[in-house]
Amino acid sequence: MNTQVEQPRRGPSLTLLHSIPIFAGVPDAQLEQIAKVAFQRRVPRLTTIVRAGDSTDSLYVLISGGAKVLNSDEEGREVILTLLGPGEFFGEMGLIDGSPRSADVMSTETCELLVITKNDFKRCLAENFDLCLNIMKSLVQRLREADRNIESLALMDVYGRVAKLLLDFSEEERGERIIRRRLTKQDIAKMIGASREMVSRVMKDLENQGYFRVEDGRIVILEKRVPAPNAAAARP
Ligand code: CMP
């Protein structure tokens, strides 16, 4: 498993910064300042970019690729808090409250990252109200997602949790809801607190019951309602 990232490379272009949601609405003059202090890094798949407990030094934006945010216990059991994709950022929590990193962030594929160091990030925040607002909106969005996850862990059985997760990860495409992102059964299990074997069984049942079909290796959601909790046997 990789723990090192490559050496920093060239800074980002304004066009690239314009395409990143947290910089939406930030005036060009201020984006130019950000372009001067930010740099790009490529990291291979399965690289631990941020490690839980470490002191904080930088904010990261995913330009391309994907990453998972996870926590693990001493026995190596993992819970995946979320999956991140292009345009999303991480590492802001420690920079905002000064606490150590709250979780590991590991690349799930080769990633191109934009990196802004702690002091530069704080200077950018102080000078950019739009940037502050965009970060706040993302934090609120994450809190909403965390609330929904707590709700489903407390109130749904494994059928409901799997069906809800598939629905949450699906995106509208030509009138259908498709899961574009690569989602392994192991990852699903670590996100909903069940075993991989249970997730395999439940997914087979949901497919047979017409909740989704698999087409060219992608999942197409057919039923948007989450199954009511009734299958006691499906509890982990
Ligand atoms: P930080 O604590 O500095 O390092 C770990 C990062 O993982 C954290 O900042 C956030 O950017 C990210 N993170 C932690 N929990 C979540 C979550 N529930 N959803 C999305 N990102 C998260």
Side-chain angles (χ1 to χ4, degrees):
M1 190 180 299
N2 297 299
T3 53
Q4 294 295 311
V5 291
E6 278 181 16
Q7 287 305 302
R9 299 187 295 111
R10 69 197 149 78
S13 66
L14 275 197
T15 317
L16 174 64
L17 293 182
H18 273 299
S19 70
I20 298 173
I22 53 164
F23 299 126
V26 176
D28 275 0
Q30 292 179 331
L31 283 185
E32 277 165 17
Q33 296 304 316
I34 293 171
K36 278 185 200 154
V37 296
F39 51 89
Q40 284 178 238
R41 270 182 172 166
R42 183 185 293 272
V43 298
R45 186 170 171 265
L46 300 185
T47 300
T48 300
I49 306 163
V50 156
R51 192 178 291 283
D54 279 0
S55 56
T56 52
D57 51 2
S58 301
L59 172 87
Y60 301 85
V61 183
L62 264 172
I63 298 168
S64 64
K68 56 185 171 185
V69 180
L70 65 142
N71 268 323
S72 49
D73 66 11
E74 278 130 26
E75 286 156 33
R77 291 178 307 177
E78 290 180 351
V79 54
I80 296 180
L81 301 173
T82 195
L83 299 179
L84 301 172
E88 294 187 286
F89 63 87
F90 58 91
E92 80 294 348
M93 287 169 55
L95 296 193
I96 290 171
D97 71 1
S99 299
R101 297 295 191 194
S102 59
D104 289 344
V105 181
M106 182 190 280
S107 56
T108 51
E109 49 193 298
T110 301
C111 293
E112 191 71 34
L113 297 170
L114 188 70
V115 188
I116 306 178
T117 63
K118 184 177 183 169
N119 289 341
D120 288 331
F121 172 66
K122 287 194 161 171
R123 206 170 307 122
C124 292
L125 277 186
E127 291 167 4
N128 295 284
F129 179 70
D130 286 303
L131 183 58
C132 293
L133 202 58
N134 292 340
I135 299 262
M136 281 193 272
K137 281 184 191 163
S138 296
L139 292 176
V140 168
Q141 177 73 26
R142 285 179 186 176
L143 182 58
R144 286 182 194 281
E145 279 167 23
D147 286 352
R148 276 163 45 83
N149 285 343
I150 293 168
E151 193 182 313
S152 66
L153 283 171
L155 302 179
M156 287 179 177
D157 63 17
V158 179
Y159 282 87
R161 286 186 234 160
V162 172
K164 179 184 161 299
L165 183 136
L166 295 178
L167 197 55
D168 286 349
F169 274 95
S170 67
E171 297 162 71
E172 198 76 25
E173 189 179 294
R174 288 193 289 272
E176 289 189 306
R177 288 208 69 89
I178 313 257
I179 300 181
R180 292 207 202 103
R181 180 187 295 236
R182 194 174 155 269
L183 211 50
T184 66
K185 293 192 176 77
Q186 185 66 270
D187 283 349
I188 296 175
K190 287 178 181 177
M191 280 188 275
I192 64 160
S195 66
R196 199 189 60 77
E197 293 73 23
M198 172 62 86
V199 168
S200 289
R201 210 174 83 207
V202 166
M203 283 188 71
K204 196 170 281 177
D205 284 352
L206 288 174
E207 189 177 2
N208 290 340
Q209 289 165 25
Y211 274 88
F212 67 85
R213 67 169 190 272
V214 180
E215 197 177 282
D216 301 330
R218 301 196 306 175
I219 290 179
V220 181
I221 306 290
L222 304 172
E223 171 59 68
K224 291 182 188 156
R225 271 172 311 157
V226 169
N230 57 9
R235 292 192 186 277

